[in-house]
Amino acid sequence: ILYFVRVLEIDDKKVAQKAWDYCNDSCRIDLCVRYEPEIMACAAILMACSSNDIELPLVPCPWWEVFIGGNRDEDLSAVCNAILSVGDEENMENRRAKYAFVPSLLDKTSFNDPESYLWSKAD
């Protein structure tokens, strides 16, 4: 995150801190096993800049394409939406990710076996 912020020449430390906060929030769900770190960092920076009214270049191409390549807009959007919904307790998918996915790993059950997940804790 800090490297990307530096490359983008964002001097506001609040933006870097907010991006870091979003990244920390993402640790509450399983995004880190579904998306590359570069996508996570770009999503965090995108949301941090948006919340601080900082515009980043979109011409000649969106700024994130420099870091993650083209045709990744849907992944970036999915990560942003997932991070923003972390606090949404009404969203069953997020409840399962927060309360069942992590305990299933802690209980030493198989990561690849969906039957081993402790879904009953989330339901």
Side-chain angles (χ1 to χ4, degrees):
I1 291 174
L2 297 178
Y3 173 74
F4 287 7
V5 167
R6 195 170 300 138
V7 168
L8 291 167
E9 298 178 350
I10 301 170
D11 296 325
D12 190 348
K13 290 184 180 183
K14 286 189 253 181
V15 172
Q17 182 60 57
K18 187 68 172 174
W20 202 265
D21 293 344
Y22 281 127
C23 192
N24 284 337
D25 289 348
S26 76
C27 293
R28 296 178 63 194
I29 53 180
D30 62 345
L31 293 174
C32 63
V33 297
R34 295 190 298 162
Y35 298 98
E36 295 90 348
E38 295 83 6
I39 293 176
M40 302 292 294
C42 286
I45 292 167
L46 177 63
M47 292 185 299
C49 287
S50 178
S51 68
N52 284 287
D53 295 322
I54 294 176
E55 292 185 21
L56 294 172
L58 296 174
V59 176
C61 67
W63 63 270
W64 57 82
E65 288 186 7
V66 173
F67 301 110
I68 62 175
N71 300 320
R72 302 302 299 269
D73 297 357
E74 287 183 22
D75 290 338
L76 192 63
S77 179
V79 170
C80 288
N81 288 331
I83 292 172
L84 289 174
S85 67
V86 164
D88 182 7
E89 288 296 321
E90 299 300 316
N91 184 322
M92 182 55 81
E93 182 178 327
N94 287 338
R95 286 182 62 210
R96 283 189 171 141
K98 287 191 291 191
Y99 300 115
F101 178 76
V102 173
S104 73
L105 296 178
L106 296 176
D107 288 342
K108 298 180 183 169
T109 55
S110 172
F111 177 77
N112 294 319
D113 180 13
E115 297 301 317
S116 70
Y117 296 156
L118 302 175
W119 296 121
S120 61
K121 288 187 179 185
D123 294 334

